[in-house]
Amino acid sequence: MSDARYMLSRQWVAMAGGSCDVRMGPGAIGQAEPMLKGAVGRPRACMAVVSGDVASTYRDTLSRQLAASGFEVFWHEVDERCACTLDEVSRLAQGLCAHQLTSDDLCCALGGSGVLSLASCVSGSWCEGMSLVAIPTSPGAFLEGALCPRGIDVADRRGMLGVRPAASHVLLDYDLVCGDQKTEDATYARILMVAAAMCSSERGFSALWDSVDELMGPDDDPFVQHLLAAAKSRGKILSSTAAAIRQSIAYGQGFAAALGMLTGDELAPSTRLAEGMRFSARLAVALGKLSVDDMLAQDELLEAVGSGVAACDVDPLALKEAIRSERFARTNRFMLPVPFGLGRVRFVTVSDDMLLEHTRAWCGAHGSND
């Protein structure tokens, strides 16, 4: 019988401040022992941070792999819905302190983007940094939690405390991240792929466009390869020495957050993000920064990867003020990220009148009674 460790593929992905060892394949959690043994100098103790909705099968498999690697395991369960909060940051830090874990020990996180981001936040700062192994339970968690973690929420504001990537190893188990392409999380991951392509390069956009049929097909490999390509693009963006390039990662996110303030859970996150990208592209055309053809190309690609179209009744003035509120919570200057072409997004100043004109147009086109 062949050694299971050789069944996993391996990729290195550049991130802000370093790089990450990504190992992937079907049943990857059950083959984690060699990676876990090498994650720290001498295995002793591990804080296993797990989302409460993770199936017991995966949790039990991970427990066996950690024990076989020489770790004493302490479990810390987190509700994915409130993982990125100051309360959870404090609770995890207190757990590490109570079990006397140090910078020489291991943190292993199994869950969605919130749980992985929480683990990155705490492990990256604990005793000036401890090793983190991230195991995403969905494709969106791989892109927005394992490699490019989301920020910690403060009060009612999402992501106000930035989190630097802390994972030195990521385990990408096909049984968790592949499968049904019609799920919301798979759709959200594909929208993030389009956003990454719009921010990184025209070549990346064209590659995604040319292979969209394979991406939407039943095979796992094309989907995983595009996940990796998007992760590399996002890592390159966030690793840039130019602030203008790093900031482009926010493309579509501000409008999505503003729309979420007004509609709550009425619209799926993938739909809100896709609408944010469409709205930004139309602003860019009005500002003379983007051609109509490129705007339509983005529209067609978003449709091809399965993005929904919002149908909701929103007041245009309220939407305008929500966009301004979201932006002014983060900076004293009102600028929005818009595409200057396929593969190039930059922040520009948008006047109140132009913003209101576009929120009116958007609300008129997307009212649920139309």
Side-chain angles (χ1 to χ4, degrees), residues 21 23 31-40 133 135 169-171:
D21 176 16
R23 305 194 190 191
Q31 305 175 51
E33 182 183 340
M35 182 191 70
L36 294 169
K37 282 183 176 178
V40 296
V133 172
I135 308 174
H169 298 82
V170 172
L171 199 61

Side-chain angles (χ1 to χ4, degrees), residues 42 115 128 176 332:
R42 182 179 180 183
V115 167
E128 299 186 4
L176 285 169
N332 293 334

Side-chain angles (χ1 to χ4, degrees), residues 69-153:
S69 302
F71 291 99
E72 180 182 5
V73 184
F74 303 100
W75 289 95
H76 183 92
E77 188 169 304
V78 181
D79 185 340
E80 175 68 31
R81 295 169 297 180
C82 60
C84 286
T85 62
L86 293 173
D87 287 344
E88 290 299 329
V89 170
S90 176
R91 193 167 72 89
L92 178 53
Q94 290 176 32
L96 290 169
C97 188
H99 294 298
Q100 301 179 359
L101 270 73
T102 73
S103 60
D104 295 320
D105 293 316
L106 179 67
C107 181
C108 185
L110 171 64
S113 61
V115 167
L116 301 187
S117 298
L118 168 67
S120 284
C121 176
V122 178
S123 65
S125 302
W126 187 253
C127 299
E128 299 186 4
M130 66 188 302
S131 295
L132 171 65
V133 172
I135 308 174
T137 54
S138 65
F142 174 68
L143 292 178
E144 207 174 48
L147 297 175
C148 300
R150 51 164 292 201
I152 301 299
D153 303 340

Side-chain angles (χ1 to χ4, degrees), residues 92-349:
L92 178 53
Q94 290 176 32
L96 290 169
C97 188
H99 294 298
Q100 301 179 359
L101 270 73
T102 73
S103 60
D104 295 320
D105 293 316
L106 179 67
C107 181
C108 185
L110 171 64
S113 61
V115 167
L116 301 187
S117 298
L118 168 67
S120 284
C121 176
V122 178
S123 65
S125 302
W126 187 253
C127 299
E128 299 186 4
M130 66 188 302
S131 295
L132 171 65
V133 172
I135 308 174
T137 54
S138 65
F142 174 68
L143 292 178
E144 207 174 48
L147 297 175
C148 300
R150 51 164 292 201
I152 301 299
D153 303 340
V154 178
D156 61 344
R157 292 289 182 185
R158 177 184 166 102
M160 295 300 290
L161 290 179
V163 176
R164 292 182 64 83
S168 54
H169 298 82
V170 172
L171 199 61
L172 196 62
D173 193 320
Y174 287 13
D175 296 339
L176 285 169
V177 301
C178 299
D180 187 0
Q181 291 294 322
K182 295 182 180 179
T183 64
E184 161 57 20
D185 196 274
T187 303
Y188 185 71
R190 292 194 299 269
I191 304 302
L192 286 175
M193 293 177 195
V194 179
M198 286 294 295
C199 294
S200 59
S201 71
E202 185 173 0
R203 178 182 297 178
F205 185 92
S206 297
L208 188 58
W209 177 284
D210 291 340
S211 57
V212 70
D213 289 339
E214 291 80 4
L215 172 63
M216 299 299 292
D219 293 339
D220 292 341
D221 284 342
F223 184 68
V224 171
Q225 291 308 312
H226 280 290
L227 271 180
L228 287 169
K232 291 177 180 178
S233 293
R234 286 168 63 84
K236 183 178 179 182
I237 292 166
L238 291 172
S239 303
S240 174
T241 57
I245 294 177
R246 293 196 304 272
Q247 292 167 352
S248 69
I249 202 73
Y251 180 51
Q253 298 283 356
F255 181 92
L259 191 57
M261 292 179 195
L262 301 177
T263 61
D265 296 330
E266 181 181 347
L267 300 173
S270 63
T271 300
R272 294 199 299 267
L273 179 56
E275 291 296 352
M277 294 165 62
R278 294 183 183 110
F279 182 87
S280 298
R282 280 152 179 77
L283 267 178
V285 171
L287 291 165
K289 305 295 185 183
L290 184 72
S291 71
V292 173
D293 286 345
D294 285 348
M295 179 195 78
L296 293 176
Q298 179 189 258
D299 283 356
E300 290 182 33
L301 185 54
L302 286 170
E303 182 179 359
V305 299
S307 71
V309 176
C312 57
D313 293 314
V314 175
D315 178 72
L317 183 59
L319 181 56
K320 187 202 85 163
E321 290 305 319
I323 294 171
R324 288 176 57 83
S325 172
E326 169 66 16
R327 195 69 207 135
F328 279 125
R330 302 168 192 276
T331 177
N332 293 334
R333 297 177 298 165
F334 184 70
M335 302 178 74
L336 297 176
V338 303
F340 280 38
L342 300 178
R344 184 165 179 252
V345 172
R346 296 293 183 269
F347 275 78
V348 297
T349 301

